Amino acid sequence: MNLVTILPLAVVMVAGTQLVVAVFLASSDRPRVASLGFLTGAGLVIAAGVTAAWLATRLVGGVAADASAVAGKVDRGPAIDLVVLALLVILAVLIWVRRNRSGPPRWLGSIEHAGPLQALRLGALLFVATPTDDLTMATVGASVARHNLPWWHLVPFVLLTLLLLALPLLALLLLGSRAARVLTRMREWAEGHAWIVNEIVIAFFALLTVLDLIRSG
């Protein structure tokens, strides 16, 4: 596994309410500053989340490796793979259960006049309080640490997540007055079809994890 294989999970991070919120902010009274604030808050949480998971996995893995050495065992990888696989299963179940939730959240109307600080808090809270995002960040951090990859391998994942989240703002900047139709289509897609793409991405990553288990078995 390398950094390229974790990148598709960036889609899981944003496909759904997160993208819908980004579309609403790009259509708000102060779209540029609000969107940038939202991206800043989201970026801080995502970077902190994957880093925490990476550090925790390395710490626990190091302790387990020391204990295994004393016991005459050497490989901690399969145990981490099983944890990652369990996280993926929980993530897939959560997305399946929530798949029929349609329409934007009721509180979205309150962000029409959002300033940069309010949008920053919203971006941070949204990614902290969303279980699927928490599980995805834990999965990414644990997977990178399990394969003994350095911290910087998390950076492309964070940047791609933010790029996907910035698509509504980019559409606004590039298309100007014509962006309304594109933003509407983005919102409709996120509300109706995002869960399907998420499940496909999770299944792909779960397959890679199972292959790792087989190779280490």
Side-chain angles (χ1 to χ4, degrees):
M1 181 178 292
N2 53 50
L3 65 88
V4 176
T5 59
I6 66 173
L7 292 181
L9 287 175
V11 176
V12 180
M13 290 290 294
V14 305
T17 302
Q18 295 77 6
L19 187 59
V20 172
V21 172
V23 169
F24 268 76
L25 288 174
S27 307
S28 65
D29 293 343
R30 305 169 66 185
R32 291 168 178 79
V33 294
S35 296
L36 289 175
F38 180 69
L39 291 171
T40 300
L44 290 173
V45 169
I46 296 167
V50 294
T51 298
W54 181 81
L55 288 172
T57 304
R58 285 178 65 89
L59 178 62
V60 173
V63 172
D66 292 341
S68 296
V70 172
K73 301 175 183 178
V74 292
D75 194 3
R76 61 181 171 83
I80 298 177
D81 285 334
L82 288 173
V83 172
V84 170
L85 196 58
L87 290 174
L88 290 169
V89 170
I90 296 171
L91 182 59
V93 171
L94 275 177
I95 291 174
W96 174 261
V97 170
R98 296 157 63 96
R99 73 191 186 283
N100 290 325
R101 296 186 181 183
S102 60
R106 295 178 181 178
W107 48 263
L108 274 183
S110 64
I111 68 173
E112 182 179 356
H113 309 291
L117 290 180
Q118 181 184 352
L120 186 149
R121 290 193 295 268
L122 175 61
L125 290 173
L126 184 60
F127 282 87
V128 167
T130 303
T132 52
D133 287 336
D134 296 332
L135 289 170
T136 304
M137 289 185 286
T139 300
V140 169
S143 298
V144 171
R146 179 262 184 268
H147 291 87
N148 297 315
L149 298 175
W151 175 87
W152 69 264
H153 280 70
L154 297 170
V155 175
F157 171 81
V158 176
L159 293 179
L160 179 58
T161 303
L162 292 178
L163 176 61
L164 294 175
L165 204 59
L167 288 178
L169 176 60
L170 294 175
L172 176 67
L173 295 176
L174 295 174
L175 300 177
S177 59
R178 295 175 296 170
R181 181 179 299 178
V182 176
L183 293 177
T184 299
R185 289 178 178 175
M186 282 185 183
R187 188 182 71 243
E188 291 174 347
W189 176 86
E191 291 174 353
H193 303 93
W195 72 271
I196 300 174
V197 178
N198 287 342
E199 296 287 28
I200 292 173
V201 171
I202 292 169
F204 168 74
F205 198 78
L207 175 61
L208 294 179
T209 305
V210 170
L211 291 176
D212 280 339
L213 274 170
I214 293 173
R215 283 194 291 265
S216 60

